[in-house]
Amino acid sequence: MPNMILSLAHFCDKHGPRVLLGTQFAADGDSLLLPDYATETVCESCSIHFPNNDTSSGSIRTRLRSRDYVSTNYPVVQYHLISSVIRHMFSEETMTYDSAPLSFFDQSKGLNLVMGFKIPDTDARGDERRYALLLTINSSDHASAMKLMSRHWEFTTYSFKKIIDYIKQRRDIELRRSFAQNTPREFTPMGGTYLKGNNFKTPRNLAQLTNDDLLFVRLHKWNTFILDVLNSDDK
């Protein structure tokens, strides 16, 4: 099977295009585990959060069908490839944020399937934060990569859409909860904003925006399931 990576990326107001979570696989996942790094250099928007404010680990690993699936804040292997793909897709004029699928290929970036989306947040530039789910098939064999993607197009796009819908629904619930508590920093449920004059744009983590302490654990499990299905392709 070709090397595949599933990523959640976002456009940080401070740092530009960044990986939030990357899921890779290997027979032995030790090489994919994230080494210790200075987390204070990473803003809230660019970091992942684990339950109970656990900061002791930057990696999640699942063993499934003789493979290790490892999710990290950024991919240890092929970091430069994914960073290049993310910079390209966020600068692509055809990139949309309505969950419509977009695919592109070149020899240096491989075959990529991306679905962009955005969620409201008055603490972000333009009062919204932009994200994208990305499947990268890192293979110079365009034909075989296209065959793999075409066989699983409906499954992958449907799975991406379910993940996006979950995140957006959780954000909507959090907005309504904040509005009910008269929190002035949030949007109203009808889509307007409180205090439009607020010019303070602060980084906020996706787990906080959705009020879901388990969000990145869920993303790891969903990514693992998707990659496992793609890896089961023996045609």
Side-chain angles (χ1 to χ4, degrees), residues 90-108:
F90 276 118
S91 63
E92 180 64 41
E93 292 182 358
T94 56
M95 174 72 168
T96 63
Y97 297 93
D98 58 358
S99 304
L102 168 70
S103 63
F104 56 91
F105 172 87
D106 66 36
Q107 292 295 329
S108 63

Side-chain angles (χ1 to χ4, degrees), residues 115-216:
M115 291 176 64
F117 64 100
K118 56 188 177 182
I119 59 175
D121 180 21
T122 53
D123 282 329
R125 185 179 302 171
D127 291 340
E128 63 185 23
R129 296 192 187 272
R130 298 187 175 192
Y131 299 87
L133 288 170
L134 169 70
L135 168 64
T136 300
I137 303 177
N138 184 21
S139 172
S140 58
D141 187 346
H142 186 202
S144 63
M146 279 298 299
K147 287 180 181 178
L148 176 63
M149 182 173 288
S150 63
R151 282 196 294 268
H152 297 283
W153 178 269
E154 290 188 8
F155 164 74
T156 306
T157 54
Y158 174 81
S159 299
F160 277 15
K161 186 66 165 56
K162 294 292 287 185
I163 295 172
I164 292 170
D165 286 347
Y166 176 83
I167 292 173
K168 295 176 75 171
Q169 288 167 7
R170 290 289 308 191
R171 179 57 181 158
D172 182 63
I173 292 171
E174 175 61 10
L175 287 173
R176 293 176 183 275
R177 185 192 67 81
S178 297
F179 179 66
Q181 295 179 355
N182 295 318
T183 304
R185 68 189 294 176
E186 297 287 11
F187 275 54
T188 70
M190 299 305 294
T193 59
Y194 265 165
L195 301 182
K196 282 182 176 289
N198 178 17
N199 293 320
F200 295 99
K201 304 304 180 184
T202 57
R204 299 183 68 193
N205 187 267
L206 188 57
Q208 177 189 10
L209 291 169
T210 56
N211 193 27
D212 184 358
D213 201 32
L214 290 169
L215 178 64
F216 289 101

